[in-house]
Amino acid sequence: IAIAMAMIMPVAANAADIGTNFTSTDGLKYRIIAEGEVAVVSNGYDGYRGEFNVPASIEYDDATYAVTTLGDGNDLFGQSTTAVTLSEGLTTINSYAFSMASIKELELPSTLTTIGGTAFFNIKIETLTIPDKVSAIPANCLYACDALYELTLGSGVKSIGRAAFGNCKALAILNMKTTEPPTLDEVAFGTTINDEGETVTVQPTYVTVVVPEGSLEAYQEAWGERGFMAIVDNEEDIPEINPEEETFTVNDYTYKKLGGNEVAMIACTTAGSNITPSPTTLYEGIAYNITTLGGGTDRVFSQATGVTLPEGLVTIKNKAFNNSTIQTVKLP
């Protein structure tokens, strides 16, 4: 009997631990997901507030657990999260883990293997590197990361999913580390509505793909007709990008020239419950009238909850308020 009890008791204790939640002194909530492993999970309301360091391991009930997973499929780090540091040993970032987080920098650990869809939805980073062990960039992974300028995909990436880079308005440089072109979904850069009301595929006309030496021909064959600005194997060959020719930014507002002295307001990052954009904007000594809201892509307002639109506005484009945080709108 004594031998039988000694053999059974450890197994029963381990099994009972799976699914246990606990909150550590670091302010994060954890869930035991396997023997010796935990995931950082949602705190159940509005995301974590402030700056956080996700450790490589955590102590609980006289045992040490490796932190291998981030998220449980619910919003984790959100608008109230200002910075997150990740440790080596993390292997999985689940869907919505960083959805709408206010972070501007993020370094992913080399141990990462799996990223969930919409994991980085609408975060404000300007550069990001996907580690070499990640094999797939899933659907909507970086959707609406409208500040992202340069993205590097690791040598293990084999597929890029639907709208993975949708509405990444600032993306200009896509660095590839794999010599074999990944499978690129037909609408990897999303869709939009044209002036005739038709749904059309967004072409990455402002994106330059930088590929490893010796793989230029393979990428040109696989991706050459996808509408990129250029595909090069030398950074010195990246074409000059001068978005000011068509768009410009004044304070928190980004505008697109429409001809003459008319512009469309295509993005606003001001936060507040009743922001009131001016009906005109001054750029390089020229006064422009704001006659249009939106450019056919999602979410002009990414931080505001209420807005009073200016007099003189005559057109609101398709999707101008899609996926926005706006709760109240006053129309001119």
Side-chain angles (χ1 to χ4, degrees), residues 19 57 61 67 71 112 128-129 137 165 172 179 190 209 248 314 330:
S57 61
D61 199 18
V67 182
L112 188 68
L128 184 68
T129 297
I137 310 299
F165 311 134
T179 56
V209 182
F248 60 90
V314 296
K330 184 176 180 180

Side-chain angles (χ1 to χ4, degrees), residues 105-239:
E105 296 180 1
L106 183 64
E107 183 174 350
L108 302 179
S110 64
T111 50
L112 188 68
T113 61
T114 305
I115 301 174
T118 326
F120 304 116
F121 171 75
N122 189 221
I123 61 176
K124 298 305 177 184
I125 54 173
E126 295 182 1
T127 63
L128 184 68
T129 297
I130 303 297
D132 291 337
K133 293 182 179 179
V134 174
S135 61
I137 310 299
N140 301 303
C141 181
L142 289 152
Y143 190 88
C145 289
D146 48 17
L148 182 63
Y149 176 82
E150 183 170 1
L151 175 65
T152 300
L153 301 186
S155 61
V157 172
K158 294 179 172 58
S159 64
I160 299 171
R162 183 180 181 85
F165 311 134
N167 214 28
C168 290
K169 301 175 184 177
L171 185 61
I173 307 296
L174 179 59
N175 297 309
M176 304 299 300
K177 294 175 64 177
T178 174
T179 56
E180 184 174 342
T183 302
L184 184 65
D185 191 276
E186 287 294 325
V187 289
F189 291 85
T191 60
T192 189
I193 305 296
N194 64 18
D195 292 337
E196 286 72 43
E198 302 167 326
T199 300
V200 295
T201 300
V202 172
Q203 301 297 323
T205 54
Y206 289 103
V207 180
T208 295
V209 182
V210 183
V211 304
E213 186 177 354
S215 61
L216 182 59
E217 185 176 342
Y219 274 91
Q220 287 176 334
E221 182 177 349
W223 291 6
E225 297 181 359
R226 300 303 298 272
F228 291 101
M229 173 177 278
I231 301 177
V232 302
D233 60 359
N234 189 326
E235 291 185 355
E236 294 181 357
D237 295 331
I238 297 176

Side-chain angles (χ1 to χ4, degrees), residues 11-131:
V11 175
N14 286 338
D17 285 340
I18 305 299
T20 298
N21 293 330
F22 63 91
T23 301
S24 178
T25 55
D26 60 10
L28 295 174
K29 183 178 179 181
Y30 297 88
R31 178 175 300 149
I32 301 174
I33 57 174
E35 184 175 353
E37 294 185 22
V38 295
V40 181
V41 295
S42 170
N43 61 2
Y45 50 105
D46 62 348
Y48 293 99
R49 296 176 176 270
E51 301 181 4
F52 291 91
N53 176 30
V54 178
S57 61
I58 195 76
E59 303 289 329
Y60 173 69
D61 199 18
D62 297 324
T64 300
Y65 294 89
V67 182
T68 61
T69 302
L70 203 60
D72 55 357
N74 299 307
D75 290 350
L76 189 66
F77 298 113
Q79 289 184 330
S80 299
T81 309
T82 55
V84 178
T85 301
L86 304 177
S87 300
E88 292 292 314
L90 188 75
T91 61
T92 303
I93 296 178
N94 280 322
S95 299
Y96 301 102
F98 288 94
S99 179
M100 298 187 73
S102 296
I103 59 176
K104 294 185 177 180
E105 296 180 1
L106 183 64
E107 183 174 350
L108 302 179
S110 64
T111 50
L112 188 68
T113 61
T114 305
I115 301 174
T118 326
F120 304 116
F121 171 75
N122 189 221
I123 61 176
K124 298 305 177 184
I125 54 173
E126 295 182 1
T127 63
L128 184 68
T129 297
I130 303 297

